[in-house]
Amino acid sequence: MAANLLDVDNLSVSFTTEAGEARVLDAVSFSIARGETLGLVGESGCGKSVTSLALMRLLPQPSGHITGGDIRLDGDSLLKKSIRDMHAIRGPRIGMIFQDAMTALNPVKRIREQLKESLTLHGQKLSKAAIQARCIELLGDVGIPEPALRLDDYPHQLSGGMRQRVMIAMALAGDPDLLIADEPTTALDVTVQAQILSLIQSIQAAHGMAVIFITHDLGVVEPLCQRVAVMYAGRIVETAPAQALFRDPKHPYTQGLLNSIPRLDREPLTPLPTIEGLVPSALNMPNGCRFAPRCPRATDRCTAEAPSMQTTSDRTLACHEVSL
Amino acid sequence: MTGYFIRRLLLIIPTFLGITLMVFAITRFVPGGPIDRALAQAQAASESAEFQSSRPGDSTSILSESQLNQLREYYGFDKPLLESYVQWLGKVVQFDLGVSTRYAEPVWQTIADRLPVSLYYGFVTLVLTYMVCIPLGIWKGIKHAGTFDHLSSAVVFIGYAVPGYIVGIALLTAFASEIELFPLGGFASDDFDDFTLWEQVKDIVWHSVLPLISYMVGSFAVMTFMVKNSLMDNLAADYVRAAMARGRTFGGAVWHHALRNSLIPLATHFGNNIGIVLTGSFLIETIFNINGFGLLGYEAVVERDYPVVLGILVISSMLFLIGNILSDLCVALVDPRVRFQ
Ligand SMILES: Nc1ncnc2c1ncn2[C@@H]1O[C@H](COP(=O)(O)OP(=O)(O)O)[C@@H](O)[C@H]1O
Ligand SMILES: [Mg+2]
């Protein structure tokens, strides 16, 4: 058996748009061990959702395509799998929860109908009573009160937090080895966010599944994740164990992100530091380091030449100016 | 929800009163009404009489004042507008639509004669349009930007751009005159009554192929593209992706998830289509020599056959009002988020 559950190896993704070919992911690499939680962090539009969809081979068709690299689950290349094999992987091997549970649930179908799919789509022969019992159990597991009644509800009858719990229950139903959570708390109130985060944490502990936790908010990563991959404009710029990253961020972009987290120990009434400038467009990427135009430490070399990946046993870094 | 529909049903009453009162008033003021016609007819008759006897005419009115009053009384024009409207309405609620001035028979009779033909064309057009447009739209949506999509779009758009009666004339010229594949017109053959049932069915279908195509070409584009666009919106929706992330095949996600959502816009249209079923198109009816509602309405307006005009108005406005409520009901049936208060 391969050492890692998932290896993403120089994955590149392009979209065919009216304005031309947009290379949205450029040689993205990271890996996850069994039972590990990886935080995938970056500003909006850097390619986090595209990464997660590429892992599921669910990129928008026909515009999105994987142009290079490989994705290996337990050493098996997902890109070589037939569509039929992918159907068997989606659900029981890799589960996914989405940013906005309102739009990720079919508005015209009852919760039962949608939850049931996760139980019956993969060849299991379950009696009606067994399905009902399992659905109730699943909703109970994700902390939904009166689960038997909620099964008859339509998505719009539930609150945002409850809907996200339903999504989590659906992903759990397949008992996947890997759970991809794409900004699962972004659409929720802060208090509900905290509940969902701790739910994911406890589920992860109970089931021992690996989790890719995608967020644009470094603040929620520290308690949840063992390792963090920082993404900028379609590239991974730094990966590190979570504690090491927070203690000693290497990449100027990571430093910028950490500085812009609001903190209680900061001097009151001082403006929150931000990263100047804008994310480059996928149609018009800088030649060298993509962060160079916004980087306080950029040199001529940074604008001319893309940095190669430095690696140590537990960290990676793509920067000319800093070394590991 | 029940309360909502009861209120909607009650609202039919004032709306209906408004529509009919307006048209009733118009019949009073538009020139060329029955009195004018009677005068003109009398004039024409006396002129031809004069011509034959070659006697110089006197300058007095053709009809005497008492004759005119008799006519006004006969047509109900002798009373004030509101009074005669109330009188007319009183008869309508007892299902009495009066007597056609043109055919001198009860309006119900005139309408009932045309009803089967119009109902046949209306419902067959409606059913065929749904039966073709829904699968076509779905197929186009799934195969978006493929060869089939482009080719069918071209055909559908041409059909949309060319009015139904032009299509009718073209079809008639090509397939009934040049190649004698279909009859030149009419609802059924002259010796229809002598046919066996099976021959009768075949005869009606044979007569209705060309008119049905003419009826359908217009609504084709709207419906097909409504289905296609709505399906494509839903195919791109998160919940379709989420269903596939649970292991649904693409086809399964379309069938079990996207389809019902993309038919919601059709449900809003359903009621309107019910209303249109009966109105028909007088141009297509004229071209194909079909004695339906469209032709009847047109002729009634031209001939100022007001009882028939008002009778058709009563029926079509009721259909429209009920159709609207049916639309709401359909939407509430397919979309659980919709709850009318
Ligand atoms: N269907 C698409 N067609 C073209 N470009 C897309 C499409 N989906 C995403 N992109 C582009 O890919 C980039 C990354 O998007 P995404 O992965 O959604 O970002 P995020 O990190 O916020 O999840 C963005 O620049 C976006 O414009
Ligand atoms: Mg995203």
Side-chain angles (χ1 to χ4, degrees):
Chain A
M1 192 190 276
N4 288 321
L5 174 67
L6 181 83
D7 284 297
V8 178
D9 183 12
N10 284 311
L11 181 69
S12 296
V13 169
S14 289
F15 280 97
T16 313
T17 67
E18 271 159 27
E21 198 74 3
R23 190 162 175 158
V24 170
L25 293 188
D26 186 38
V28 165
S29 300
F30 58 87
S31 50
I32 303 163
R34 291 189 167 274
E36 184 182 45
T37 304
L38 173 81
L40 184 58
V41 186
E43 281 166 284
S44 280
C46 71
K48 305 181 296 292
S49 296
V50 169
T51 306
S52 63
L53 292 177
L55 295 186
M56 295 289 258
R57 293 209 16 219
L58 281 177
L59 286 171
Q61 291 301 317
S63 60
H65 28 261
I66 295 172
T67 53
D70 202 0
I71 303 163
R72 284 185 300 272
L73 187 68
D74 269 336
D76 253 3
S77 169
L78 292 187
L79 301 188
K80 295 201 183 78
K81 296 245 182 258
S82 67
I83 287 297
R84 185 187 283 264
D85 287 342
M86 282 312 296
H87 293 149
I89 286 171
R90 296 175 193 143
R93 302 295 311 278
I94 310 179
M96 187 159 177
I97 53 184
F98 293 81
Q99 174 166 338
D100 185 355
M102 183 72 231
T103 61
L105 289 168
N106 186 342
V108 303
K109 284 205 159 191
R110 294 177 200 279
I111 301 299
R112 174 186 290 104
E113 298 298 311
Q114 305 191 51
L115 186 53
K116 207 173 82 177
E117 284 182 332
S118 305
L119 298 173
T120 55
L121 276 177
H122 298 284
Q124 309 90 319
K125 292 274 174 285
L126 292 173
S127 69
K128 233 179 149 182
I131 291 174
Q132 173 79 0
R134 183 82 181 105
C135 284
I136 291 175
E137 186 188 345
L138 281 164
L139 289 191
D141 283 352
V142 296
I144 292 180
E146 298 183 286
L149 296 180
R150 296 291 79 78
L151 282 177
D152 285 320
D153 282 347
Y154 287 99
H156 71 274
Q157 292 171 292
L158 302 179
S159 70
M162 287 300 147
R163 280 195 290 265
Q164 195 56 282
R165 284 172 197 268
V166 170
M167 286 306 295
I168 295 172
M170 282 179 188
L172 274 187
D175 195 17
D177 303 323
L178 174 65
L179 175 70
I180 304 175
D182 186 358
E183 311 213 31
T185 60
T186 306
L188 303 174
D189 296 343
V190 186
T191 47
V192 184
Q193 268 187 27
Q195 292 166 7
I196 297 292
L197 285 176
S198 68
L199 174 66
I200 292 175
Q201 233 171 342
S202 64
I203 280 168
Q204 204 248 344
H207 292 250
M209 57 180 66
V211 177
I212 300 183
F213 189 88
I214 296 178
T215 178
H216 63 265
D217 180 3
L218 256 184
V220 304
V221 164
E222 195 170 10
L224 201 68
C225 305
Q226 277 116 49
R227 281 195 315 124
V228 182
V230 181
M231 200 168 189
Y232 183 79
R235 281 184 185 157
I236 301 282
V237 294
E238 180 168 11
T239 54
Q243 281 169 355
L245 187 95
F246 281 88
R247 192 174 0 96
D248 180 20
K250 299 282 191 192
H251 199 283
Y253 178 62
T254 315
Q255 292 169 356
L257 279 184
L258 279 176
N259 277 333
S260 56
I261 300 175
R263 268 214 252 279
L264 286 178
D265 57 0
R266 215 190 290 275
E267 186 69 23
L269 297 179
T270 53
L272 201 60
T274 54
I275 307 174
E276 293 293 320
L278 293 173
V279 187
S281 134
L283 288 165
N284 188 19
M285 281 294 177
N287 284 328
C289 171
R290 291 180 173 181
F291 187 58
R294 299 170 77 185
C295 182
R297 304 174 62 170
T299 63
D300 287 348
R301 186 173 171 220
C302 297
T303 38
E305 183 191 328
S308 57
M309 198 60 98
Q310 312 169 40
T311 50
T312 64
S313 62
D314 63 352
R315 295 187 78 145
T316 68
L317 175 69
C319 184
H320 289 305
E321 292 303 302
V322 189
S323 41
L324 276 179
Chain B
M1 190 108 128
T2 319
Y4 172 83
F5 283 105
I6 290 175
R7 245 176 312 154
R8 283 292 304 268
L9 280 170
L10 288 178
L11 263 177
I12 285 185
I13 297 169
T15 322
F16 178 78
L17 291 182
I19 296 173
T20 47
L21 181 59
M22 206 161 72
V23 177
F24 198 87
I26 291 172
T27 63
R28 279 301 178 92
F29 305 124
V30 174
I35 308 284
D36 290 354
R37 294 179 83 82
L39 275 173
Q41 269 166 14
Q43 181 105 39
S46 76
E47 265 168 17
S48 61
E50 272 167 26
F51 179 74
Q52 277 164 9
S53 60
S54 64
R55 238 187 317 127
D58 45 293
S59 56
T60 53
S61 173
I62 312 298
L63 296 173
S64 71
E65 194 57 30
S66 69
Q67 276 177 308
L68 273 177
N69 281 339
Q70 253 179 344
L71 269 177
R72 290 202 184 95
E73 201 186 317
Y74 177 73
Y75 288 115
F77 282 29
D78 55 335
K79 295 185 207 73
L81 173 66
L82 266 181
E83 196 184 325
S84 52
Y85 173 72
V86 169
Q87 203 173 39
W88 173 81
L89 196 65
K91 285 185 180 160
V92 167
V93 295
Q94 296 167 43
F95 297 101
D96 175 7
L97 291 176
V99 174
S100 160
T101 55
R102 187 154 150 256
Y103 297 102
E105 61 177 12
V107 172
W108 270 124
Q109 191 57 48
T110 318
I111 288 177
D113 285 347
R114 316 286 183 110
L115 202 62
V117 176
S118 280
L119 277 181
Y120 169 76
Y121 275 106
F123 275 107
V124 174
T125 305
L126 188 70
V127 170
L128 281 183
T129 309
Y130 276 112
M131 267 171 46
V132 175
C133 292
I134 295 178
L136 182 64
I138 291 170
W139 193 247
K140 285 167 70 67
I142 292 173
K143 300 277 174 199
H144 172 66
T147 318
F148 175 79
D149 183 33
H150 289 312
L151 281 180
S152 57
S153 290
V155 174
V156 167
F157 275 130
I158 291 172
Y160 183 62
V162 182
Y165 64 93
I166 302 276
V167 173
I169 293 171
L171 287 173
L172 212 52
T173 315
F175 297 110
S177 173
E178 292 293 318
I179 314 168
E180 291 175 18
L181 211 56
F182 293 104
L184 276 166
F187 181 68
S189 299
D190 294 336
D191 36 7
F192 184 75
D193 292 336
D194 304 335
F195 289 174
T196 61
L197 182 68
W198 173 237
E199 282 173 332
Q200 288 185 337
V201 171
K202 273 202 304 194
D203 190 59
I204 288 183
V205 171
W206 183 53
H207 276 84
S208 51
V209 171
L210 298 185
L212 279 176
I213 295 176
S214 317
Y215 270 122
M216 283 165 65
V217 280
S219 51
F220 237 68
V222 179
M223 294 264 280
T224 307
F225 277 86
M226 194 155 67
V227 174
K228 180 191 171 185
N229 291 337
S230 156
L231 179 69
M232 284 182 55
D233 285 349
N234 283 291
L235 286 184
D238 273 354
Y239 69 82
V240 167
R241 192 174 284 156
M244 290 186 70
R246 296 196 283 274
R248 273 264 182 232
T249 60
F250 177 70
V254 172
W255 181 253
H256 291 276
H257 291 283
L259 210 55
R260 183 161 162 208
N261 279 287
S262 52
L263 294 185
I264 292 174
L266 275 192
T268 48
H269 259 241
F270 182 68
N272 297 355
N273 286 339
I274 293 276
I276 297 167
V277 160
L278 263 190
T279 43
S281 154
F282 92 88
L283 279 171
I284 294 178
E285 288 183 9
T286 310
I287 290 165
F288 288 101
N289 192 19
I290 303 163
N291 247 338
F293 248 52
L295 204 56
L296 178 66
Y298 171 74
E299 284 170 358
V301 169
V302 171
E303 303 281 334
R304 303 290 191 274
D305 190 348
Y306 289 139
V308 172
V309 171
L310 290 168
I312 290 180
L313 182 80
V314 166
I315 292 178
S316 59
S317 56
M318 283 310 272
L319 271 179
F320 259 102
L321 294 170
I322 292 171
N324 269 331
I325 299 177
L326 273 182
S327 283
D328 282 0
L329 205 61
C330 286
V331 172
L333 280 181
V334 292
D335 190 344
R337 287 165 296 182
V338 174
R339 282 286 165 269
F340 296 107
Q341 292 305 317

